[in-house]
Amino acid sequence: MADIKVYALSYCPWCKKTRRFFDERHIAVEVVEYDLADKPEQDRIVAEIKALSGGDVTFPCTIIDGTAVLGHHPDRYIALLGLPE
Amino acid sequence: MDRKALFRERFGRIVALLGYKFSPDEELVNDLLDAEVELERRYGAPYCPCQGRTGVRSEDMRIVCPCIPYHRAHYDAMKRCWCGLYVHQDVDDPDALTQIPLSELDL
């Protein structure tokens, strides 16, 4: 089973779309809501996302078996997981 | 005029000068403006609902809506802002546009 983590903001519509993508397919994911995390965890997430994004702290950020996808990209989730189109 | 109507009216005028307009996706615009009203209530400014505040003022000011001027080259390359609230004025189909991180663009 794939190891999937979604960094999200609780009020971000694109984060909701990403979460819905996995929920609808009954795919288990670990969701980390940045805005609800404590400060040390937020600082860790900021560093991780900045390194991936080129400097901005953008959401959603989905990490599938170590591969990061920034933004809402169903096509990439499908490709990385080998799901049927 | 409530805050959401004020954002719609004021931000619309500002982004028009930058060559942008509100997304034709009215449901998305509605959700994003609702989120910005709540973010302003909680944190004092209408922050972008899809970018994280770090607590560093110089960084957080770069995501106060409309944040297009701080990300001009990036957003012009996407023809939309990160959260999709605004698109280039010639865009009719916002679903054809996707979020592309700066790290994946050759700017």
Side-chain angles (χ1 to χ4, degrees), chain A residues 55-56, chain B residues 51 57-64 67 70-71:
Chain A
D56 295 323
Chain B
Q51 299 187 68
R57 180 174 170 78
S58 59
E59 292 179 350
D60 289 351
M61 293 317 293
R62 294 181 71 249
I63 61 169
V64 175
C67 67
Y70 293 103
H71 308 269

Side-chain angles (χ1 to χ4, degrees), chain A residues 9 11-14 34 39 46 50 52-54 56-60 70-73 76, chain B residues 28 32 35 39 49-54 59 62 71 80 82-83 98-99 101-104:
Chain A
L9 286 165
Y11 36 72
C12 162
W14 297 98
Y34 170 78
K39 186 63 169 131
V46 165
K50 277 185 175 178
L52 294 165
S53 71
D56 295 323
V57 187
T58 49
F59 295 85
L70 288 146
H72 176 63
H73 294 283
R76 295 190 195 180
Chain B
L28 178 66
L32 288 166
L39 284 162
C50 299
Q51 299 187 68
R53 293 166 44 256
T54 63
E59 292 179 350
R62 294 181 71 249
H71 308 269
R80 57 169 281 181
W82 181 259
C83 70
T98 61
Q99 295 169 305
L102 201 54
S103 55
E104 294 179 16

Side-chain angles (χ1 to χ4, degrees), chain A residues 40-53:
Chain A
E41 175 72 342
Q42 285 189 341
D43 291 345
R44 189 193 63 71
I45 293 169
V46 165
E48 185 171 357
I49 291 179
K50 277 185 175 178
L52 294 165
S53 71

Side-chain angles (χ1 to χ4, degrees), chain A:
Chain A
M1 194 170 79
D3 176 54
I4 306 171
K5 177 183 284 190
V6 176
Y7 290 123
L9 286 165
S10 58
Y11 36 72
C12 162
W14 297 98
C15 299
K16 290 172 186 168
K17 288 177 196 267
T18 294
R19 296 169 73 164
R20 195 179 314 130
F21 173 90
F22 293 109
D23 290 347
E24 286 170 351
R25 291 162 178 78
H26 309 296
I27 297 173
V29 303
E30 176 194 358
V31 176
V32 178
E33 288 185 313
Y34 170 78
D35 54 305
L36 306 182
D38 60 26
K39 186 63 169 131
E41 175 72 342
Q42 285 189 341
D43 291 345
R44 189 193 63 71
I45 293 169
V46 165
E48 185 171 357
I49 291 179
K50 277 185 175 178
L52 294 165
S53 71
D56 295 323
V57 187
T58 49
F59 295 85
C61 173
T62 305
I63 301 176
I64 300 175
D65 287 335
T67 300
V69 180
L70 288 146
H72 176 63
H73 294 283
D75 53 338
R76 295 190 195 180
Y77 310 146
I78 286 170
L80 286 168
L81 293 170
L83 298 175
E85 291 285 332

